[in-house]
Amino acid sequence: MTADHADKRFAYLMTGIENVGAGDLSTRIPAGTDPDPLGTVMVAFNRMAEDLETSQTQLEARMKTRTTMLMDAFRKMELMALTDPLTQLRNRAALETVLESSLAGQVANGSPALLLLDLDSFKSINDTLGHAAGDTVLKVVADRLRATVRKMDTVARLGGDEFAVVLQDTGAERGRQVSRRIVDALAQPMTAEATELSISASVGIAVAKPDDSALDLILHADTAMYIAKNEANANVVLFRPVMLNARQRHTALAAELQNAIENNEMVLHYQPIVELTTGRVLGVEALVRWQHPQRGLVMPDEFIGLAEEIGAMATLTACVLQTVLAQLRQWQETLDLDPRFTVRVNISATQLQRPELLDDVQRLLLAENIEPAALVLELTEYSMVTGNEWDLYSFRGLRNLGVGLAIDDFGTGYSSISYLRTLPVDQVKLDKSLLGTHSETGASRPFIAAILQLVKSCNLAATCEGVETSQQAAMLTELGCETGQGYYFGRPVPATDVNAIWLDRFGEAPWREETLDIQEAAAELLRN
């Protein structure tokens, strides 16, 4: 072998080493067949380069597979982060992203519209049938919403029983049409826990304007939905800017109410409950009022719902009970009350869900040294009939404590002898609507007589509210109703107006004279 040949082979080897070092693993050198040590090194070099290239190819393949797996996992995690796990709809975060994207392209693609909808009375489904039934309802609602809109539209669940729909390139009229289709679709019967249900919903619509943000659109749709929920026969409402003023007033009023409750600014008025056969005042109903600094005396219809909404009912109820029982103690010490005298306090359905209610009532009774039987808690038919196990625990606990329980507003839709015989109550208050107007008293008589017979058959005492005339008082007395309440006997008054004269003004039950006249006239007809 010549020196030139050896130098050339060595140059090949050095070039190959440089190429491999630079990352070119496909480099191979002409090793030839020379049996000398340099030839052996060149053959070994080629094998090494081939092994390195194979290893690199395998590594790149594994890296590609791992990268694909990581990207898939990332996309799944991203999808999970933007998906409601129960319904598999988009969630609130995804909704905001979709809205931002839609608003950014609205000049070219038209304006998007946002529908916010809230299921009416969904809580009662959870309370009466259980959360499994509630979950079933939410899934059915999700499926029906998907079926009602286009593929290009977005359906989301924002939490609880609140849903949203983003309609692409949609005007106000189409927004209304889709909303009504949604309301109709949800009203179709569905089955949950072997119970057939029909769901109603309230829908707020907001159509985007060029300068709206995603949060603006959500606020506008939510404002319209709030109005839809709180106005009769208005389950679909389109947002108008003037509504923001009402929303702002509502927010301000909520803050004022919270302060009023915390600062003990609520006042109580008392309306008498009169024994119809004697005219004696057997008790009073405590009615809470809000002494607003600008608006004056605000009636409970205007703020009880708001107190429920802001979570202030627990504090309000505790304040009312404390004030009522302290006032009763003062009356017991200063007035000649009938031994059967009671104070009646309305309790909302949400208060029955509070584990502290029973302890609060017991503590306040002990603090004022009041016999439990002197306190009567009035609850609506709805809360008693649709109550869950915790409600029944509260009922039984209060009954065992000795507190009186009364069904309020009886006869307004749930009246049934089956539950009258099983609920732990001892009194029933007939709703004032049963009396009708002054001119309808005679027509109402057979109906009231039947209801009183139903109540008596269950060994319950009856009070009829809404008594406004002596004729109505006389009729109720003749039919055997124990007590009456209404403007005829007295309007609600502050505690300072409850005195001996106030208590004794119906001592002779003057309406009984009309009862005797009616009976004498009936006897005369029979004699003739």
Side-chain angles (χ1 to χ4, degrees):
M1 176 176 27
T2 64
D4 289 343
H5 181 62
D7 290 343
K8 187 179 294 185
R9 292 168 63 211
F10 187 76
Y12 287 153
L13 179 60
M14 294 305 296
T15 300
I17 292 173
E18 289 175 357
N19 290 342
V20 170
D24 183 8
L25 301 183
S26 64
T27 296
R28 303 290 186 272
I29 58 176
T33 57
D34 298 321
D36 60 341
L38 184 58
T40 302
V41 170
M42 296 175 73
V43 171
F45 173 85
N46 284 339
R47 288 175 180 168
M48 179 193 71
E50 184 177 353
D51 290 344
L52 288 174
E53 185 177 24
T54 300
S55 296
Q56 184 185 48
T57 300
Q58 293 174 348
L59 178 62
E60 288 176 349
R62 286 197 298 271
M63 289 181 65
K64 184 177 180 179
T65 300
R66 293 290 176 85
T67 300
T68 301
M69 292 172 63
L70 286 172
M71 291 298 295
D72 288 344
F74 175 77
R75 280 191 289 269
K76 289 178 181 178
M77 290 176 64
E78 187 178 41
L79 185 61
M80 288 175 60
L82 298 174
T83 302
D84 172 58
L86 177 65
T87 62
Q88 297 305 301
L89 297 176
R90 301 291 185 92
N91 60 16
R92 182 178 290 272
L95 175 75
E96 292 180 5
T97 300
V98 169
L99 282 176
E100 289 167 357
S101 175
S102 300
L103 291 169
Q106 68 174 313
V107 175
N109 303 323
S111 297
L114 174 64
L115 314 182
L116 284 187
L117 60 139
D118 186 89
L119 306 183
D120 301 328
S121 303
F122 178 74
K123 182 178 182 299
S124 66
I125 296 175
N126 275 335
D127 289 345
T128 56
L129 300 179
H131 289 278
D135 288 348
T136 298
V137 168
L138 294 175
K139 291 176 183 177
V140 173
V141 169
D143 291 340
R144 292 185 181 181
L145 289 176
R146 288 192 193 96
T148 306
V149 301
R150 304 165 299 184
K151 290 186 178 297
M152 64 187 291
D153 300 322
T154 302
V155 182
R157 180 187 175 214
L158 306 186
D161 60 342
E162 190 174 358
F163 293 81
V165 178
V166 180
L167 302 175
Q168 303 294 346
D169 189 13
T170 300
E173 186 52 38
R174 184 173 183 276
R176 286 194 185 95
Q177 293 172 358
V178 174
S179 297
R180 293 191 184 100
R181 285 208 305 269
I182 287 173
V183 170
D184 292 341
L186 297 184
Q188 297 303 309
M190 64 180 72
T191 302
E193 297 297 308
T195 301
E196 188 173 277
L197 303 169
S198 181
I199 301 297
S200 60
S202 301
V203 186
I205 311 167
V207 179
K209 295 181 175 57
D211 56 346
D212 282 342
S213 67
L215 295 181
D216 288 336
L217 208 56
I218 292 173
L219 173 63
H220 297 167
D222 187 64
T223 298
M225 183 183 72
Y226 176 82
I227 293 174
K229 285 189 73 69
N230 289 279
E231 287 191 1
N233 303 317
N235 52 9
V236 174
V237 172
L238 177 67
F239 171 78
R240 291 176 289 113
V242 69
M243 293 177 181
L244 281 179
N245 295 331
R247 181 66 175 265
Q248 290 164 354
R249 288 196 301 272
H250 175 79
T251 302
L253 193 64
E256 291 176 5
L257 177 60
Q258 184 72 55
N259 291 333
I261 294 173
E262 292 175 355
N263 297 328
N264 297 319
E265 296 175 4
M266 312 305 287
V267 297
L268 290 173
H269 286 192
Y270 300 89
Q271 187 171 31
I273 297 170
V274 176
E275 186 174 39
L276 292 173
T277 56
T278 66
R280 289 186 62 82
V281 176
L282 294 190
V284 293
E285 180 179 359
L287 301 165
V288 66
R289 305 286 190 259
W290 178 10
Q291 189 65 57
H292 193 279
Q294 283 80 43
R295 298 175 58 192
L297 207 60
V298 181
M299 296 295 104
D301 289 349
E302 297 186 51
F303 65 83
I304 289 297
L306 182 58
E308 295 269 14
E309 183 181 324
I310 64 177
M313 276 304 296
T315 305
L316 179 58
T317 300
C319 290
V320 168
L321 285 172
Q322 184 173 13
T323 303
V324 162
L325 294 175
Q327 184 60 64
L328 177 58
R329 166 51 55 198
Q330 181 183 340
W331 286 334
Q332 288 176 341
E333 294 172 351
T334 60
L335 297 174
D336 181 21
L337 300 178
D338 189 287
R340 299 166 292 172
F341 190 93
T342 61
V343 288
R344 303 189 180 194
V345 177
N346 291 286
I347 295 291
S348 69
T350 56
Q351 293 310 295
L352 294 173
Q353 299 291 319
R354 292 179 55 240
E356 303 87 0
L357 175 63
L358 192 58
D359 292 337
D360 285 349
V361 171
Q362 186 172 23
R363 173 178 53 81
L364 293 169
L365 287 169
L366 288 172
E368 297 297 339
N369 193 25
I370 298 292
E371 288 295 322
L375 174 64
V376 177
L377 300 181
E378 296 185 352
L379 305 108
T380 63
E381 281 188 82
Y382 181 82
S383 65
M384 302 195 91
V385 176
T386 63
N388 58 21
E389 288 300 318
W390 186 259
D391 295 336
L392 292 176
Y393 167 80
S394 297
F395 294 149
R396 296 188 182 106
L398 292 166
R399 186 67 180 272
N400 291 337
L401 184 61
V403 171
L405 292 178
I407 301 176
D408 196 11
D409 302 331
F410 184 78
T412 56
Y414 285 88
S415 306
S416 166
I417 192 171
S418 61
Y419 80 75
L420 275 182
R421 296 175 61 184
T422 57
L423 287 174
V425 298
D426 39 37
Q427 302 181 44
V428 169
K429 179 179 281 187
L430 277 60
D431 188 75
K432 61 184 179 182
S433 63
L434 299 179
L435 279 177
T437 64
H438 298 174
S439 61
E440 294 173 337
T441 297
S444 302
R445 181 187 177 96
F447 187 53
I448 296 174
I451 292 180
L452 286 172
Q453 186 60 41
L454 169 67
V455 172
K456 288 179 181 179
S457 69
C458 298
N459 297 317
L460 301 175
T463 299
C464 189
E465 60 181 350
V467 180
E468 297 187 359
T469 67
S470 60
Q471 291 82 5
Q472 289 175 334
M475 179 191 70
L476 292 170
T477 304
E478 186 184 357
L479 293 177
C481 184
E482 287 87 351
T483 53
Q485 178 182 353
Y487 287 173
Y488 174 67
F489 302 113
R491 292 176 178 268
V493 297
T496 53
D497 289 355
V498 178
N499 51 40
I501 297 175
W502 188 85
L503 290 173
D504 293 339
R505 65 194 186 285
F506 286 118
E508 297 181 358
W511 55 88
R512 285 182 58 79
E513 296 178 5
E514 296 188 27
T515 303
L516 294 173
D517 291 342
I518 293 172
Q519 292 172 339
E520 289 177 3
E524 183 66 23
L525 285 173
L526 289 174
R527 284 194 296 269
N528 295 331

